[in-house]
Amino acid sequence: MAPRPVVWPAREAWRRFRRHGLAVFSLVLLALMVLAVGLGPLLWPLAINDIDFAARLATPSAAHPLGTDDLGQDLLSRLLYGGRISLAVGLAAMGMAIGVGTLIGAVAGMSRGWVDTALMWLTDLFLSLPQLPLLLLVIYLFRETLKNAFGPELGVFLLIVGVIGAFCWMPVARLVRAQFFSLREKEFVEAARALGASRARLVWRHILPNALGPVIVAGTVDVAGAIIAESTLSFLGLGFPPDIPTWGRILFDAKDYLDIAPHWALFPGLAIFVTVLAINFIGDGLRDALDPRRVL
Protein backbone atom coordinates (compact mmCIF):
# COMPACT_ATOMS: atom_id res chain seq x y z
CA MET A 1 0.00 0.00 0.00
CA ALA A 2 1.48 3.32 -1.10
CA PRO A 3 2.06 5.87 1.65
CA ARG A 4 -0.26 8.85 1.72
CA PRO A 5 1.33 12.08 0.42
CA VAL A 6 2.32 14.62 3.03
CA VAL A 7 0.12 17.73 2.96
CA TRP A 8 1.90 20.76 4.35
CA PRO A 9 -0.30 23.25 6.27
CA ALA A 10 0.91 26.22 4.22
CA ARG A 11 0.17 24.45 0.94
CA GLU A 12 -3.29 23.43 2.15
CA ALA A 13 -4.00 27.01 3.27
CA TRP A 14 -2.92 28.32 -0.14
CA ARG A 15 -5.18 25.79 -1.86
CA ARG A 16 -8.11 26.97 0.21
CA PHE A 17 -7.24 30.62 -0.35
CA ARG A 18 -7.11 30.17 -4.14
CA ARG A 19 -10.75 29.01 -4.14
CA HIS A 20 -11.83 32.40 -2.81
CA GLY A 21 -12.08 34.33 -6.08
CA LEU A 22 -12.49 37.80 -4.60
CA ALA A 23 -9.59 37.27 -2.22
CA VAL A 24 -7.25 36.18 -5.02
CA PHE A 25 -8.34 39.11 -7.20
CA SER A 26 -7.84 41.49 -4.27
CA LEU A 27 -4.39 40.05 -3.58
CA VAL A 28 -3.36 40.60 -7.20
CA LEU A 29 -4.83 44.11 -7.15
CA LEU A 30 -3.05 45.01 -3.92
CA ALA A 31 0.22 43.61 -5.27
CA LEU A 32 -0.14 45.75 -8.37
CA MET A 33 -0.80 48.82 -6.24
CA VAL A 34 2.26 48.12 -4.09
CA LEU A 35 4.33 47.62 -7.23
CA ALA A 36 2.98 50.84 -8.73
CA VAL A 37 3.76 53.01 -5.68
CA GLY A 38 7.15 51.33 -5.26
CA LEU A 39 8.14 51.96 -8.87
CA GLY A 40 6.30 55.27 -9.14
CA PRO A 41 9.22 57.46 -10.27
CA LEU A 42 10.10 54.91 -12.95
CA LEU A 43 6.52 54.60 -14.17
CA TRP A 44 5.76 58.33 -14.13
CA PRO A 45 8.83 60.58 -13.91
CA LEU A 46 7.13 63.92 -13.13
CA ALA A 47 8.26 65.28 -9.76
CA ILE A 48 5.64 65.68 -7.05
CA ASN A 49 6.52 69.37 -6.48
CA ASP A 50 6.75 70.56 -10.11
CA ILE A 51 4.48 73.60 -10.35
CA ASP A 52 2.77 74.61 -13.60
CA PHE A 53 0.29 77.46 -13.11
CA ALA A 54 -0.76 77.21 -16.74
CA ALA A 55 -2.18 73.75 -16.02
CA ARG A 56 -3.73 74.41 -12.59
CA LEU A 57 -6.92 72.43 -11.84
CA ALA A 58 -6.61 70.69 -15.22
CA THR A 59 -8.87 67.72 -15.81
CA PRO A 60 -7.38 64.32 -16.70
CA SER A 61 -5.51 64.38 -20.00
CA ALA A 62 -2.62 62.69 -21.77
CA ALA A 63 -0.13 65.05 -20.10
CA HIS A 64 -1.73 64.58 -16.67
CA PRO A 65 -3.70 61.30 -16.57
CA LEU A 66 -5.32 62.14 -13.21
CA GLY A 67 -5.37 65.92 -13.62
CA THR A 68 -3.63 68.57 -11.51
CA ASP A 69 -4.22 70.50 -8.29
CA ASP A 70 -4.51 74.24 -7.65
CA LEU A 71 -0.76 74.70 -8.20
CA GLY A 72 -0.62 72.65 -11.37
CA GLN A 73 1.11 69.74 -9.66
CA ASP A 74 0.55 66.36 -11.27
CA LEU A 75 -1.87 64.25 -9.22
CA LEU A 76 -0.65 60.90 -10.55
CA SER A 77 2.88 61.44 -9.29
CA ARG A 78 1.57 62.72 -5.96
CA LEU A 79 -0.76 59.73 -5.56
CA LEU A 80 2.04 57.29 -6.33
CA TYR A 81 4.28 58.99 -3.76
CA GLY A 82 1.53 59.24 -1.16
CA GLY A 83 0.67 55.58 -1.57
CA ARG A 84 4.06 54.60 -0.19
CA ILE A 85 3.42 56.54 3.00
CA SER A 86 -0.18 55.38 3.45
CA LEU A 87 0.70 51.71 2.90
CA ALA A 88 3.83 51.98 5.05
CA VAL A 89 1.80 53.50 7.89
CA GLY A 90 -0.75 50.69 7.62
CA LEU A 91 1.82 47.90 7.61
CA ALA A 92 3.96 49.41 10.38
CA ALA A 93 0.97 50.08 12.63
CA MET A 94 -0.28 46.54 11.95
CA GLY A 95 3.10 45.11 12.95
CA MET A 96 3.12 47.12 16.17
CA ALA A 97 -0.48 46.20 17.03
CA ILE A 98 0.09 42.49 16.37
CA GLY A 99 3.37 42.46 18.31
CA VAL A 100 1.98 44.20 21.40
CA GLY A 101 -1.37 42.39 21.24
CA THR A 102 0.21 38.96 20.82
CA LEU A 103 2.60 39.53 23.71
CA ILE A 104 -0.10 40.72 26.11
CA GLY A 105 -2.59 38.09 24.97
CA ALA A 106 -0.04 35.28 25.28
CA VAL A 107 1.02 36.31 28.78
CA ALA A 108 -2.62 36.62 29.85
CA GLY A 109 -3.55 33.32 28.21
CA MET A 110 -0.77 31.39 29.93
CA SER A 111 -1.27 33.06 33.31
CA ARG A 112 -3.87 32.62 35.96
CA GLY A 113 -4.98 34.90 38.75
CA TRP A 114 -4.02 38.53 39.11
CA VAL A 115 -1.72 38.70 36.06
CA ASP A 116 -4.50 37.77 33.66
CA THR A 117 -6.95 40.06 35.47
CA ALA A 118 -4.57 43.05 35.43
CA LEU A 119 -3.77 42.66 31.73
CA MET A 120 -7.45 42.40 30.81
CA TRP A 121 -8.22 45.47 32.92
CA LEU A 122 -5.52 47.30 30.97
CA THR A 123 -7.02 46.08 27.70
CA ASP A 124 -10.51 47.14 28.74
CA LEU A 125 -9.16 50.53 29.79
CA PHE A 126 -7.68 51.16 26.35
CA LEU A 127 -10.85 49.90 24.70
CA SER A 128 -12.94 52.40 26.67
CA LEU A 129 -10.83 55.42 25.70
CA PRO A 130 -12.17 57.70 22.94
CA GLN A 131 -9.64 57.08 20.20
CA LEU A 132 -9.99 60.04 17.84
CA PRO A 133 -9.83 62.79 20.51
CA LEU A 134 -6.81 61.11 22.10
CA LEU A 135 -5.14 60.72 18.69
CA LEU A 136 -5.61 64.42 18.04
CA LEU A 137 -4.36 65.37 21.52
CA VAL A 138 -1.22 63.21 21.41
CA ILE A 139 -0.30 64.37 17.92
CA TYR A 140 -0.88 68.01 18.87
CA LEU A 141 1.34 67.67 21.94
CA PHE A 142 4.26 65.69 20.51
CA ARG A 143 4.32 66.42 16.77
CA GLU A 144 6.74 69.35 16.90
CA THR A 145 9.08 67.54 19.31
CA LEU A 146 9.43 64.51 17.06
CA LYS A 147 9.70 66.67 13.94
CA ASN A 148 12.63 68.52 15.48
CA ALA A 149 14.26 65.26 16.62
CA PHE A 150 13.81 63.08 13.50
CA GLY A 151 12.87 65.47 10.71
CA PRO A 152 9.43 66.47 9.39
CA GLU A 153 8.71 63.23 7.52
CA LEU A 154 10.23 60.53 9.74
CA GLY A 155 9.13 62.23 12.96
CA VAL A 156 5.49 62.45 11.92
CA PHE A 157 5.65 58.89 10.54
CA LEU A 158 6.92 57.50 13.85
CA LEU A 159 4.34 59.48 15.79
CA ILE A 160 1.39 58.40 13.65
CA VAL A 161 2.47 54.75 13.59
CA GLY A 162 3.03 54.74 17.35
CA VAL A 163 -0.27 56.41 18.14
CA ILE A 164 -2.33 54.25 15.76
CA GLY A 165 -0.57 51.07 16.87
CA ALA A 166 -1.12 51.98 20.53
CA PHE A 167 -4.88 52.02 19.96
CA CYS A 168 -5.18 48.90 17.76
CA TRP A 169 -3.60 46.13 19.84
CA MET A 170 -6.56 45.44 22.16
CA PRO A 171 -8.68 43.23 19.83
CA VAL A 172 -5.56 41.22 18.97
CA ALA A 173 -4.77 40.72 22.66
CA ARG A 174 -8.28 39.48 23.40
CA LEU A 175 -8.19 37.15 20.40
CA VAL A 176 -4.80 35.68 21.32
CA ARG A 177 -5.87 35.23 24.95
CA ALA A 178 -8.99 33.34 23.88
CA GLN A 179 -6.94 31.14 21.55
CA PHE A 180 -4.44 30.36 24.31
CA PHE A 181 -7.22 29.46 26.73
CA SER A 182 -8.58 27.00 24.18
CA LEU A 183 -5.27 25.52 23.03
CA ARG A 184 -3.48 25.11 26.34
CA GLU A 185 -5.91 22.34 27.37
CA LYS A 186 -5.63 20.38 24.10
CA GLU A 187 -4.24 16.87 24.05
CA PHE A 188 -1.07 17.70 22.11
CA VAL A 189 -0.18 20.43 24.61
CA GLU A 190 -0.81 18.07 27.52
CA ALA A 191 1.38 15.46 25.83
CA ALA A 192 4.22 17.97 25.38
CA ARG A 193 3.83 19.05 29.00
CA ALA A 194 3.95 15.42 30.16
CA LEU A 195 7.19 14.93 28.20
CA GLY A 196 8.79 17.72 30.20
CA ALA A 197 8.46 20.69 27.83
CA SER A 198 8.99 24.03 29.54
CA ARG A 199 6.35 26.74 29.47
CA ALA A 200 8.36 28.76 26.95
CA ARG A 201 8.64 25.75 24.65
CA LEU A 202 4.91 25.08 24.96
CA VAL A 203 4.20 28.64 23.88
CA TRP A 204 6.68 28.94 20.99
CA ARG A 205 6.50 25.43 19.55
CA HIS A 206 2.95 24.29 20.20
CA ILE A 207 0.43 26.98 21.19
CA LEU A 208 1.50 30.15 19.37
CA PRO A 209 1.83 28.60 15.87
CA ASN A 210 -1.69 27.23 16.16
CA ALA A 211 -3.04 30.60 17.33
CA LEU A 212 -1.55 32.67 14.50
CA GLY A 213 -4.32 32.03 11.98
CA PRO A 214 -6.93 34.32 13.56
CA VAL A 215 -4.19 36.83 14.40
CA ILE A 216 -3.18 37.10 10.74
CA VAL A 217 -6.80 37.68 9.79
CA ALA A 218 -7.12 40.38 12.45
CA GLY A 219 -3.92 41.96 11.12
CA THR A 220 -5.51 42.60 7.74
CA VAL A 221 -8.26 44.55 9.47
CA ASP A 222 -5.61 46.55 11.34
CA VAL A 223 -3.91 47.52 8.07
CA ALA A 224 -7.16 48.85 6.66
CA GLY A 225 -8.00 50.65 9.89
CA ALA A 226 -4.55 52.24 10.08
CA ILE A 227 -4.78 53.53 6.50
CA ILE A 228 -8.17 55.07 7.25
CA ALA A 229 -6.87 56.57 10.53
CA GLU A 230 -3.87 58.14 8.79
CA SER A 231 -6.12 59.51 6.07
CA THR A 232 -8.46 60.95 8.71
CA LEU A 233 -5.60 62.64 10.57
CA SER A 234 -4.19 64.08 7.34
CA PHE A 235 -7.67 65.22 6.29
CA LEU A 236 -7.98 67.06 9.62
CA GLY A 237 -4.62 68.73 9.01
CA LEU A 238 -2.81 66.88 11.82
CA GLY A 239 -0.94 64.34 9.74
CA PHE A 240 2.07 64.84 7.51
CA PRO A 241 3.19 68.34 6.47
CA PRO A 242 1.51 69.95 3.43
CA ASP A 243 4.49 69.25 1.14
CA ILE A 244 4.24 65.47 1.79
CA PRO A 245 1.30 64.25 -0.32
CA THR A 246 -0.33 61.34 1.46
CA TRP A 247 -3.74 60.23 0.21
CA GLY A 248 -5.47 61.85 3.17
CA ARG A 249 -3.50 65.07 2.72
CA ILE A 250 -4.49 65.28 -0.94
CA LEU A 251 -8.14 64.90 0.10
CA PHE A 252 -7.69 67.66 2.68
CA ASP A 253 -6.23 70.01 0.06
CA ALA A 254 -9.04 69.17 -2.39
CA LYS A 255 -11.97 69.82 -0.09
CA ASP A 256 -12.34 73.50 -1.10
CA TYR A 257 -12.40 72.70 -4.83
CA LEU A 258 -15.02 69.95 -4.98
CA ASP A 259 -17.35 72.06 -7.14
CA ILE A 260 -14.83 73.05 -9.81
CA ALA A 261 -12.26 70.19 -9.65
CA PRO A 262 -13.97 67.01 -8.35
CA HIS A 263 -11.24 64.85 -9.88
CA TRP A 264 -8.80 66.19 -7.29
CA ALA A 265 -10.70 64.44 -4.49
CA LEU A 266 -12.07 61.55 -6.55
CA PHE A 267 -8.80 59.74 -7.25
CA PRO A 268 -7.25 59.75 -3.74
CA GLY A 269 -10.62 58.77 -2.29
CA LEU A 270 -10.86 55.95 -4.82
CA ALA A 271 -7.33 54.80 -3.95
CA ILE A 272 -8.21 54.61 -0.24
CA PHE A 273 -11.49 52.84 -1.00
CA VAL A 274 -9.95 50.23 -3.30
CA THR A 275 -7.02 49.54 -0.96
CA VAL A 276 -9.19 49.08 2.13
CA LEU A 277 -11.72 46.96 0.23
CA ALA A 278 -8.98 44.73 -1.20
CA ILE A 279 -7.41 44.22 2.23
CA ASN A 280 -10.78 43.30 3.72
CA PHE A 281 -11.43 40.73 0.97
CA ILE A 282 -7.96 39.29 1.56
CA GLY A 283 -8.85 39.02 5.24
CA ASP A 284 -12.02 37.11 4.33
CA GLY A 285 -10.01 34.71 2.19
CA LEU A 286 -7.46 34.16 4.95
CA ARG A 287 -10.24 33.53 7.45
CA ASP A 288 -11.65 30.76 5.26
CA ALA A 289 -8.21 29.35 4.39
CA LEU A 290 -6.95 29.21 7.97
CA ASP A 291 -10.13 27.80 9.51
CA PRO A 292 -9.48 24.08 10.10
CA ARG A 293 -13.20 23.39 10.55
CA ARG A 294 -14.10 24.71 7.09
CA VAL A 295 -14.07 22.26 4.19
CA LEU A 296 -13.46 23.77 0.74
Side-chain angles (χ1 to χ4, degrees):
M1 182 176 179
R4 297 180 61 183
V6 177
V7 179
W8 296 99
R11 181 176 298 178
E12 178 65 15
W14 173 242
R15 184 189 67 82
R16 291 166 173 254
F17 183 83
R18 284 184 303 174
R19 297 199 176 184
H20 197 296
L22 277 176
V24 174
F25 176 77
S26 299
L27 181 62
V28 173
L29 181 61
L30 185 63
L32 291 176
M33 294 183 68
V34 172
L35 189 63
V37 300
L39 301 178
L42 299 178
L43 298 175
W44 192 250
L46 285 181
I48 61 173
N49 293 323
D50 281 353
I51 296 176
D52 183 6
F53 287 112
R56 62 188 302 268
L57 298 179
T59 56
S61 62
H64 303 285
L66 301 185
T68 60
D69 59 13
D70 59 332
L71 297 177
Q73 297 172 322
D74 184 74
L75 287 179
L76 177 58
S77 61
R78 293 175 71 81
L79 279 176
L80 291 176
Y81 184 89
R84 303 181 200 174
I85 299 176
S86 296
L87 292 175
V89 166
L91 293 174
M94 175 204 69
M96 178 178 176
I98 287 181
V100 175
T102 301
L103 177 62
I104 292 179
V107 173
M110 292 299 294
S111 303
R112 292 177 175 85
W114 68 269
V115 175
D116 177 39
T117 303
L119 290 177
M120 287 303 100
W121 279 352
L122 178 66
T123 303
D124 292 338
L125 173 64
F126 272 83
L127 281 172
S128 65
L129 295 175
Q131 294 190 9
L132 184 58
L134 283 176
L135 284 173
L136 300 179
L137 178 62
V138 172
I139 289 177
Y140 178 78
L141 291 176
F142 297 103
R143 181 172 57 174
E144 294 302 323
T145 302
L146 288 177
K147 284 172 63 177
N148 294 332
F150 298 99
E153 188 169 350
L154 180 59
V156 176
F157 176 82
L158 293 175
L159 178 61
I160 290 179
V161 168
V163 170
I164 294 176
F167 287 98
C168 291
W169 60 267
M170 297 83 71
V172 177
R174 282 187 164 277
L175 182 61
V176 172
R177 175 178 177 265
Q179 289 291 314
F180 268 62
F181 275 174
S182 173
L183 292 170
R184 72 184 187 184
E185 307 299 334
K186 296 293 184 181
E187 291 80 359
F188 67 93
V189 176
E190 292 292 340
R193 187 182 291 115
L195 290 174
S198 63
R199 175 168 292 193
R201 183 176 178 84
L202 288 175
V203 171
W204 288 108
R205 293 295 302 273
H206 300 284
I207 301 179
L208 187 58
N210 289 281
L212 285 181
V215 174
I216 294 173
V217 176
T220 62
V221 179
D222 286 337
V223 174
I227 291 175
I228 293 176
E230 184 277 322
S231 301
T232 302
L233 293 173
S234 296
F235 183 80
L236 295 175
L238 291 174
F240 288 86
D243 57 335
I244 301 176
T246 67
W247 289 343
R249 186 72 207 191
I250 297 174
L251 278 176
F252 174 77
D253 295 336
K255 71 182 188 304
D256 296 327
Y257 297 88
L258 293 176
D259 52 342
I260 59 176
H263 65 275
W264 189 359
L266 174 64
F267 293 113
L270 186 62
I272 296 172
F273 171 76
V274 171
T275 303
V276 172
L277 188 64
I279 291 174
N280 285 331
F281 279 135
I282 292 172
D284 289 340
L286 288 174
R287 180 195 60 200
D288 295 342
L290 298 174
D291 185 0
R293 295 167 297 180
R294 188 180 180 89
V295 179
L296 293 179

